[in-house]
Amino acid sequence: MAIKHQQETDLAPQKVLIDPPAMWRVVLLNDDFTPMDFVTTVLQTFFAMDYERATQIMLKIHTEGRGICGVFPKDVAATKVSEVTHFARQHQHPLQCIMEIR
Ligand code: TYC
């Protein structure tokens, strides 16, 4: 647990215990229909991977059934899931993107 000093509004400094933010994994699931190059594009666009890394992770998902795209605070993870799902549906692909607590 981290210790933080309160801002200068108090007369005596007080210590406030702050938990580090819970981190969430964003996971892509394999399916039989989404094209490999689409998944590679998703990993580059939404998870800042270069082409080689994105291809490596895409193939891992393809062979193992699922793969971690990144680990983020809850609100960031939820936004990734929402954006990836919207992008996939826009292109009529059934790609599943989920989040799970680490
Ligand atoms: N299995 C898909 C295919 O053969 C490729 C794929 C990879 C789909 C990863 C989804 O999360 C995924 N076209």
Side-chain angles (χ1 to χ4, degrees):
M1 229 182 259
I3 298 173
K4 194 183 176 199
H5 290 96
Q6 270 190 353
Q7 305 292 358
E8 341 238 17
T9 48
D10 292 331
L11 292 175
Q14 293 182 8
K15 290 175 184 169
V16 179
L17 294 177
I18 299 180
D19 286 322
M23 297 298 276
W24 292 69
R25 294 178 179 140
V26 175
V27 175
L28 280 180
L29 306 182
N30 187 40
D31 66 70
D32 293 336
F33 305 103
T34 305
M36 288 184 173
D37 66 337
F38 184 82
V39 178
T40 302
T41 296
V42 164
L43 291 168
Q44 290 178 93
T45 304
F46 296 98
F47 300 97
M49 295 183 197
D50 63 28
Y51 178 79
E52 286 68 32
R53 178 76 179 147
T55 302
Q56 194 178 47
I57 299 297
M58 180 278 294
L59 287 173
K60 183 180 164 72
I61 301 165
H62 176 70
T63 54
E64 296 180 11
R66 50 175 274 149
I68 298 169
C69 308
V71 182
F72 308 97
K74 189 177 188 180
D75 56 340
V76 178
T79 300
K80 300 275 183 204
V81 168
S82 172
E83 289 177 349
V84 168
T85 302
H86 182 243
F87 185 63
R89 298 303 170 272
Q90 265 187 329
H91 292 266
Q92 282 87 47
H93 298 312
L95 183 63
Q96 293 288 317
C97 184
I98 63 169
M99 59 192 275
E100 58 188 30
I101 194 147
R102 211 155 87 94

